[in-house]
Amino acid sequence: MKPIRLSRVGKSIDQLKLSLSNRHADERPVDRAAKKVATMLNRAQTGHLKFIQASVGKQVRFIMVQENLYLQSDNKYTNLVTANGKAFIRTSITELEADLNPDQFWRVHRFTIVNIRAVDNVVREEGEKMTVRLRGKVEKLEVSGAHQTQFKWM
């Protein structure tokens, strides 16, 4: 065991205090409590998310979960794509997947979860490749080999 130096312990405590004070510097305790209550109410009935608080520029929007066409991972963030545009949240796609209704949201790739109600068609392309096309959207979403079994009925 290394010897403890009081100067280093004091420095570590100061850094921790600074980190904690900066963490919620712009947020009042009432706002933090309101967020917690909103989160609890959001999951109260079904156990699945009903809305997601997401950043759009300098705004925070409340996006109803069923409005999401798909969700795509981007490092530690998740991009939410709706018919009206994009937003992002600081939650990993894996954490988010646990709170989504699995009957409505299917993982099609390790980076992508799609709202099955927004799917227009699934195309089997050359080789083993498969893509999802959404209603009203131009982009195609790749379906990984591991997740193609969900579309076996095709």
Side-chain angles (χ1 to χ4, degrees), residues 28-83:
R28 299 177 309 168
V30 172
D31 295 332
R32 283 196 305 270
K35 276 186 184 177
K36 285 183 183 179
V37 170
T39 302
M40 288 169 34
L41 290 174
N42 190 10
R43 293 185 178 97
Q45 299 295 322
T46 63
H48 303 298
L49 284 176
K50 293 189 182 11
F51 63 87
I52 299 172
Q53 297 176 40
S55 297
V56 180
K58 293 184 179 183
Q59 297 179 341
V60 174
R61 285 190 49 217
F62 290 83
I63 300 171
M64 297 304 292
V65 170
Q66 66 266 17
E67 289 179 34
N68 289 294
L69 302 177
Y70 66 93
L71 303 94
Q72 202 157 45
S73 177
D74 184 14
N75 294 324
K76 293 181 182 179
Y77 301 100
T78 299
N79 290 312
L80 309 176
V81 180
T82 68

Side-chain angles (χ1 to χ4, degrees), residues 44-135:
Q45 299 295 322
T46 63
H48 303 298
L49 284 176
K50 293 189 182 11
F51 63 87
I52 299 172
Q53 297 176 40
S55 297
V56 180
K58 293 184 179 183
Q59 297 179 341
V60 174
R61 285 190 49 217
F62 290 83
I63 300 171
M64 297 304 292
V65 170
Q66 66 266 17
E67 289 179 34
N68 289 294
L69 302 177
Y70 66 93
L71 303 94
Q72 202 157 45
S73 177
D74 184 14
N75 294 324
K76 293 181 182 179
Y77 301 100
T78 299
N79 290 312
L80 309 176
V81 180
T82 68
N84 300 324
K86 291 184 177 183
F88 77 93
I89 57 173
R90 290 180 181 96
T91 304
S92 74
I93 200 164
T94 304
E95 290 176 55
L96 197 56
E97 181 180 27
D99 293 331
L100 295 171
N101 182 348
D103 295 331
Q104 184 176 355
F105 291 91
W106 292 6
R107 173 125 12 187
V108 295
H109 194 279
R110 71 180 174 147
F111 300 119
T112 311
I113 296 174
V114 68
N115 182 344
I116 200 66
R117 294 178 185 166
V119 171
D120 185 35
N121 58 57
V122 179
V123 178
R124 189 178 309 274
E125 297 184 5
E126 301 152 14
E128 297 292 314
K129 192 174 178 185
M130 192 180 276
T131 57
V132 171
R133 293 189 181 158
L134 304 172
R135 287 184 200 94

